[in-house]
Amino acid sequence: MPELPEVETVRRGLVPAMEGGVIAHAQINRPDLRWPFPPDMAARLTGSRVLHLRRRSKYILADLDTAETLIIHLGMSGRMTVSGLAEPFVPGEFHHTHAAAQKHDHVILDMASGARVTFNDARRFGAMDMAPTATLDQHRLLAGIGPEPLGNSFDAAYLAARLTGRRVPLKAALLDQRVLAGLGNIYVCEVLFRAGLSPHRLCADLTPDQAAALVPVIRQVLEEAIAAGGSSLRDYRQADGELGYFQHGFQVYGREGQPCATPGCTATITRSVQSGRSSFWCPVCQT
């Protein structure tokens, strides 16, 4: 499942084609993805201007001048690609001619600029919905989500308050979207390795200094992943069709049985299962 860095990378790739632009024509090629599309979605999108393109947790949000917001979730196999971008964008970064429609091109947005945005999802685990912009935070997909880890409201005091006294594993707490928005399994594994904390450590056993130290590590890992274009696992692609490459810098994720990356450590990376998800960690460096 794409996590915050992948979704943010896609959002940034869509901005030149969508933000400030008018959707000249919206084509919806099936009635649903993971859930049914909202009623009259094509008509509600056609002719609207995209005022802002932003991200909340793992969702891309397109605020329209009709006072509605298009909510986009990539799911496990959803891809959004751009074609037909004009100068001043560097030739080669995006495809400049529209490819023939593919079997799983479920939503196609033709912009008045000539650009085209295509949502392709072979397994249909993605989703799109529309909701009033003014009450978006009450939408069932967005209500109750915690602060953005790269935002100003996420700091040491907040995280310590959310973790202190909780008798749940640290990894489970960091994956809880009510605690923090957008973090997923891959990046929590990487964060905990850099912080030297076991994924099995109970939150209640953290010292205040350890909780505070997690904040800059979380930000650093996410910023590095965004700069690298995300992690390409299975179906994920950027908006220009290219692969992200942060996965080449994984220090623990997917490295079961391989040597620990910490200089001088002779341990190997261990894999364990927590709540049905794989945790990768060094039993020596992470305590």
Side-chain angles (χ1 to χ4, degrees):
M1 186 75 71
E3 301 179 22
L4 187 155
E6 290 75 50
V7 178
E8 177 63 17
T9 300
V10 171
R11 184 199 70 81
R12 294 183 184 186
L14 294 174
V15 164
M18 295 186 69
E19 194 165 77
V22 172
I23 301 172
H25 178 69
Q27 178 178 328
I28 314 299
N29 294 328
R30 58 173 299 109
D32 57 10
L33 288 174
R34 187 175 180 185
W35 301 293
F37 287 125
D40 302 318
M41 178 173 163
R44 289 158 70 181
L45 290 174
T46 297
S48 65
R49 182 179 297 275
V50 180
L51 301 178
H52 304 287
L53 198 66
R54 54 196 174 99
R55 178 193 52 76
R56 182 72 172 107
S57 185
K58 302 173 186 179
Y59 298 91
I60 296 172
L61 307 175
D63 296 328
L64 309 175
D65 64 355
T66 58
E68 288 192 296
T69 294
L70 174 64
I71 304 169
I72 304 167
H73 190 259
L74 298 175
M76 295 182 67
S77 58
R79 296 192 294 129
M80 297 194 76
T81 56
V82 175
S83 60
L85 274 180
E87 298 292 351
F89 303 102
V90 180
E93 288 191 357
F94 292 83
H95 299 292
H96 283 254
T97 56
H98 301 315
Q102 302 297 307
K103 178 180 179 182
H104 301 294
D105 289 351
H106 303 310
V107 178
I108 299 173
L109 305 178
D110 283 313
M111 309 300 294
S113 64
R116 173 176 290 173
V117 177
T118 302
F119 187 97
N120 178 288
D121 190 353
R123 288 182 280 177
R124 302 198 300 275
F125 289 149
M128 284 191 181
D129 201 355
M130 297 183 70
T133 304
T135 58
L136 197 61
D137 59 353
Q138 301 172 28
H139 189 277
R140 62 184 179 85
L141 297 176
L142 303 172
I145 294 178
E148 293 290 326
L150 299 179
N152 293 332
S153 59
F154 176 62
D155 56 23
Y158 167 81
L159 189 59
R162 293 304 306 264
L163 299 182
T164 299
R166 294 188 63 186
R167 300 202 62 80
V168 298
L170 180 55
K171 183 183 177 187
L174 293 179
L175 286 174
D176 186 344
Q177 297 298 294
R178 296 168 297 180
V179 173
L180 196 57
L183 276 185
N185 195 41
I186 293 173
Y187 296 106
V188 170
C189 287
E190 295 296 309
V191 163
L192 292 178
F193 175 75
R194 294 194 190 188
L197 296 171
S198 167
H200 300 279
R201 170 84 75 95
L202 294 182
C203 295
D205 294 336
L206 286 178
T207 67
D209 286 346
Q210 287 173 325
L214 276 169
V215 172
V217 176
I218 290 170
R219 286 182 169 151
Q220 181 184 47
V221 168
L222 293 177
E223 287 169 353
E224 288 179 9
I226 291 169
S231 301
S232 298
L233 301 176
R234 296 188 180 178
D235 300 296
Y236 167 68
R237 296 291 188 277
Q238 301 179 54
D240 60 359
E242 295 298 318
L243 300 172
Y245 54 89
F246 186 75
Q247 73 278 8
H248 298 302
F250 285 165
Q251 293 180 297
V252 287
Y253 188 85
R255 298 189 65 244
E256 179 184 8
Q258 298 182 39
C260 175
T262 303
C265 181
T266 59
T268 57
I269 301 303
T270 296
R271 174 183 172 273
S272 55
V273 177
Q274 293 180 275
S275 302
R277 298 182 181 181
S278 294
S279 293
F280 297 92
W281 56 294
C282 174
V284 172
C285 295
Q286 297 175 250
T287 59

